[in-house]
Amino acid sequence: MAVRTETRAKAEAESSPEAMRQATSILAVACGMTVYPAAHSKGLDQVRAGKCGRTGVPQLRIRPGTAAGKSTSSACRPVRWQRCGRQTFVLGMKGQECTESKHVPVHDEIGFGLAKRTFLEKQIDTDFTKKPRPMQMKQLIAACVLGLFGQNAEAEQKPLKVFILVGQSNMQGHAHVRTLEHIAMDPKTAPLLREMRDDNGGARVCRDVWISYLSSSGEKRGQLTAGFGADENKIGPELTFGIYMQKMLKEPILIIKTAWGGKSLHTDFRSPSAGPYQFNDTQLEGFRKQDKDIEAIKADRAKATGHYYRLTINHVKTVLANIDRVYPDYESDQRYELAGLVWFQGWNDMVDRGVYPSRDKPGGYDQYSETLACFIRDVRKDLSAPLLPFVIGVMGAGGPIDKYLPEQQRYAGIHHNFRNAMAAPADLPEFTGNVATVLTEDYWDMQLVDLRARDAKVKRKARELQSGRRLSREDQQAAQEKLRNEEFSDRELEILKTGVSNAEYHYLGSAKIMAQIGKGFAEAITQMQEKRSTHR
C-alpha cells in the first residue's frame, strides 16, 4: 500500500466528502475494518474515539445501537460513523457482529476525535485492496496523527450543551401537527416550515438534537422531532428551539423538558427559598364561611407545595447522571454544560383571584415576581450553575393588549399586570445579563383573531336565522356553510380551517405561533451567551 503526503492548496477542500472518505478508509484499515457509504439508520452501532479508562491509551470505541444483533449481512456488521455535510459513511466490522461494546486501541498520539473534520494539512492516497505491511501501517497511523487529528483534538473536547425547558401546558405544547401547513401560508414564516420538515416533506428528525421530556404520561426521549408536545400529534416550543439552537451553535445539543398542564408557580413549582405557601386573610375567611377544615387544607397544600419543582430538579439530575441513556453519542469522559433554561408558565397564576386578590391593581401580582426570583436562584443553586442563562417566556395568549377586541377589554388590566410581574425579575440587578424575557405576545397571529371574530358573527347570525324554525342538523350546517362562504374567501376559509386547533389560552393550538416562540427562546439564550463572551 502506497502512502503519499502533500500540502493542500485550498482550505475549503480540507473537509470535502472525498477527503472524509479517504480519512475514514485509513482508520478503517488501521483497525481491521472496512468502509461503506451509507445513510444514517436507526439502531446502527456507534464508533467514537476516547481513552481507555484503565490504561489511558486512546482507542476507538464501538458500541451497539438500539437494534444490536440485526446485521445487514453475515459477512459484515455495519456500525454508524460521522457525517460530512449531507454524506455519511459507515464502518463495518468484518467477520463478526458487534453485540457488545468493543474498544479498539489505535495509537497513543491520536487522542480524541474520529475525523469529524478531515486532513487539515495532509492528503493521503492509498490502495486498500492490499493488506498493509507493518512499516506502512506505522506511516499510515503517523499520517492520521499529523494530518487528521492535529488540530481537531481541542474541538472534540467541547462540552455537550444542555438546555432545560420548564413550564405548564403551553410548554407542553398544544399545536396540532396539522396546523404546520399554516406556517407556509405566510411568506414571513414559511422559512420556519422548511427547517421543520425533511426533504420528503415529512417531520424533520434532528440528528444532532436529543431530548428527554417528562410529563404526565412519563418520560419520552429520543431525537427531536414533531410529537414532543402535549401528545404525539402536537408540538410545543421545543421543536424550533432545538432546531435553531443547534443551527446557531453548530454542534450537538441535549434538551431536558419538564412540563405539566394546569400547574402554578405559587404552589406546584414553588421552590425552597420561597418558603411555605401562606394562605391570605381573604382565603382563610372564605374557608371559615364554608365551614371547611382549615388545618386539613393547610396540610394538603404543604404536601403539594414544590412537588413539580422537585420533580424537575430530580429529572434533570437523573438525565445528567446518565446522559448516554438519552444521547447515545455521549461518552463518559465527555463533559457537559448547562447552557440555558426557559420558563414558560403563568396561566394558572394569572387566573387565580384567591391567591392574588388585588390582581386588577398595580402590584397585585408582586408575589409572583418574588416567587419567580426565588425559583431562578434555587434552580441555579440546586443544579450548581450559578450563572445559568434564564429566559422568561412572558405569557402572551390573546396577543398585544393594545390590540384587544372590545370583548377582551374586561380583563386587559389583569393581563397587563401579570405580564409586567412575569418580566420583573429580569430587571433585578443580580439578574442583569443572565436573565432575559421573551414577550410571546409578539408572535400572536392577528389574522387568525380577525377570522375567528368574523366566524363568531357568522355563527350568531346562523342561530338568529334558525330561531323559531325547526331545521334538521344537516340543514343547520348547510345554512351556516352558506353564510361562511358569503363572508370568507376560499383562502380565508383555508387559513381558518388549518391555522387553529385549540383554545386561545393555548395560543390557538397554532404551530405558526408556537414555532416562532421556540425560535425566540433560542435567540434570547444565544444573545445572552454572546454578550457574556464579549465581556470576558
Side-chain angles (χ1 to χ4, degrees):
M1 176 178 64
V3 178
R4 176 174 59 80
T5 304
E6 62 182 43
T7 303
R8 286 192 175 277
K10 295 183 179 180
E12 57 266 26
E14 294 168 359
S15 58
S16 67
E18 175 57 26
M20 178 67 83
R21 186 197 66 76
Q22 291 184 359
T24 309
S25 299
I26 289 170
L27 285 174
V29 172
C31 300
M33 306 172 82
T34 304
V35 66
Y36 302 90
H40 271 288
S41 177
K42 223 172 185 180
L44 292 178
D45 296 332
Q46 303 152 35
V47 178
R48 291 176 62 83
K51 288 184 178 179
C52 175
R54 183 174 59 84
T55 65
V57 176
Q59 60 196 358
L60 294 183
R61 295 176 178 177
I62 305 166
R63 299 189 307 179
T66 57
K70 297 181 180 179
S71 60
T72 55
S73 71
S74 58
C76 173
R77 170 161 179 75
V79 288
R80 191 180 71 177
W81 204 60
Q82 304 290 343
R83 286 177 294 169
C84 178
R86 291 181 177 273
Q87 192 152 355
T88 304
F89 296 92
V90 167
L91 297 176
M93 295 195 66
K94 280 202 166 187
Q96 59 182 308
E97 290 187 359
C98 181
T99 56
E100 60 183 20
S101 296
K102 297 180 185 298
H103 288 186
V104 182
V106 181
H107 192 276
D108 295 80
E109 296 180 59
I110 286 186
F112 298 102
L114 181 56
K116 285 186 178 178
R117 295 182 60 199
T118 186
F119 302 140
L120 299 173
E121 296 178 348
K122 310 293 182 181
Q123 178 175 331
I124 299 176
D125 293 335
T126 59
D127 177 3
F128 296 110
T129 61
K130 301 177 182 179
K131 185 176 181 179
R133 294 190 296 275
M135 182 56 69
Q136 292 170 334
M137 180 65 74
K138 190 173 183 179
Q139 292 173 321
L140 177 70
I141 295 176
C144 287
V145 172
L146 294 174
L148 183 58
F149 297 101
Q151 299 180 32
N152 194 45
E154 183 177 349
E156 285 300 312
Q157 294 305 303
K158 275 189 175 182
L160 174 68
K161 299 287 197 306
V162 180
F163 298 92
I164 305 168
L165 309 181
V166 188
Q168 59 175 114
S169 59
N170 284 312
M171 181 58 89
Q172 282 183 302
H174 283 270
H176 198 281
V177 292
R178 68 171 174 78
T179 65
L180 288 169
E181 295 294 337
H182 181 219
I183 301 175
M185 296 179 182
D186 184 345
K188 293 181 180 179
T189 56
L192 280 170
L193 187 60
R194 289 195 288 271
E195 294 288 346
M196 299 165 73
R197 286 187 165 169
D198 59 24
D199 294 339
N200 298 319
R204 176 183 172 187
V205 177
C206 303
R207 301 294 183 184
D208 293 321
V209 185
W210 296 79
I211 181 171
S212 169
Y213 169 35
L214 180 64
S215 194
S216 305
S217 57
E219 183 191 19
K220 180 178 180 180
R221 61 182 185 267
Q223 290 173 305
L224 182 64
T225 186
F228 280 92
D231 63 42
E232 61 184 10
N233 295 311
K234 296 179 179 180
I235 66 166
E238 75 291 327
L239 183 55
T240 46
F241 174 86
I243 289 172
Y244 281 92
M245 186 57 71
Q246 193 280 325
K247 186 176 182 180
M248 288 183 277
L249 289 173
K250 297 180 175 60
E251 58 188 81
I253 65 171
L254 171 63
I255 295 173
I256 304 174
K257 173 178 167 179
T258 62
W260 298 268
K263 301 298 176 261
S264 67
L265 176 63
H266 64 70
T267 296
D268 300 307
F269 281 106
R270 194 178 188 89
S271 64
S273 66
Y277 177 83
Q278 300 290 337
F279 288 102
N280 58 53
D281 292 340
T282 303
Q283 289 174 304
L284 293 174
E285 182 61 27
F287 296 152
R288 293 189 189 99
K289 288 181 178 180
Q290 298 173 51
D291 198 26
K292 291 186 176 180
D293 187 337
I294 295 179
E295 293 305 314
I297 292 174
K298 287 183 177 180
D300 289 342
R301 182 61 62 99
K303 183 178 180 180
T305 297
H307 177 67
Y308 289 90
Y309 175 85
R310 293 188 292 274
L311 283 181
T312 293
I313 295 300
N314 289 341
H315 183 64
V316 171
K317 289 183 176 181
T318 297
V319 173
L320 295 178
N322 192 12
I323 290 178
D324 61 357
R325 183 181 64 90
V326 179
Y327 174 45
D329 288 343
Y330 187 81
E331 294 294 341
S332 58
D333 50 15
Q334 185 180 357
R335 296 170 296 136
Y336 66 81
E337 173 190 345
L338 290 178
L341 186 150
V342 178
W343 171 253
F344 193 25
Q345 183 271 347
W347 186 266
N348 273 58
D349 286 87
M350 185 176 70
V351 300
D352 198 327
R353 181 184 294 276
V355 175
Y356 308 99
S358 302
R359 61 180 185 158
D360 56 342
K361 299 179 177 63
Y365 286 108
D366 283 352
Q367 183 185 336
Y368 185 94
S369 304
E370 296 165 3
T371 308
L372 182 55
C374 290
F375 181 93
I376 297 170
R377 298 184 193 105
D378 287 338
V379 163
R380 289 172 167 175
K381 177 184 177 182
D382 291 339
L383 296 180
S384 302
L387 292 178
L388 175 68
F390 194 103
V391 170
I392 302 169
V394 178
M395 176 61 61
I401 294 172
D402 60 358
K403 295 182 180 180
Y404 272 16
L405 299 175
E407 56 267 30
Q408 295 175 291
Q409 292 299 325
R410 58 191 173 91
Y411 43 77
I414 291 173
H415 288 189
H416 175 76
N417 293 340
F418 185 73
R419 293 178 189 184
N420 286 345
M422 281 200 78
D427 293 329
L428 295 175
E430 66 183 293
F431 295 148
T432 300
N434 56 69
V435 175
T437 59
V438 171
L439 303 181
T440 62
E441 67 184 56
D442 292 342
Y443 306 111
W444 193 252
D445 195 318
M446 296 308 299
Q447 183 185 33
L448 285 180
V449 172
D450 175 67
L451 293 176
R452 280 165 56 85
R454 288 164 58 191
D455 193 45
K457 291 179 181 179
V458 166
K459 291 177 181 178
R460 285 197 298 270
K461 188 174 182 180
R463 286 195 296 268
E464 291 171 1
L465 292 174
Q466 295 165 18
S467 179
R469 301 170 60 187
R470 293 184 178 180
L471 298 176
S472 65
R473 179 172 295 181
E474 292 76 11
D475 288 341
Q476 291 176 13
Q477 292 177 344
Q480 185 167 297
E481 285 304 308
K482 183 177 182 296
L483 290 172
R484 268 193 177 143
N485 291 330
E486 292 172 354
E487 174 68 25
F488 300 106
S489 68
D490 291 342
R491 175 75 172 176
E492 289 174 330
L493 284 172
E494 183 64 21
I495 291 173
L496 189 59
K497 178 182 177 181
T498 308
V500 180
S501 71
N502 210 289
E504 188 174 88
Y505 53 79
H506 283 153
Y507 290 80
L508 302 173
S510 166
K512 180 182 175 184
I513 297 175
M514 199 55 62
Q516 293 179 86
I517 290 174
K519 182 185 178 189
F521 290 160
E523 290 171 342
I525 287 182
T526 301
Q527 289 168 8
M528 277 192 285
Q529 291 174 335
E530 290 175 347
K531 288 180 181 178
R532 181 183 298 182
S533 299
T534 302
H535 293 151
R536 282 178 180 174

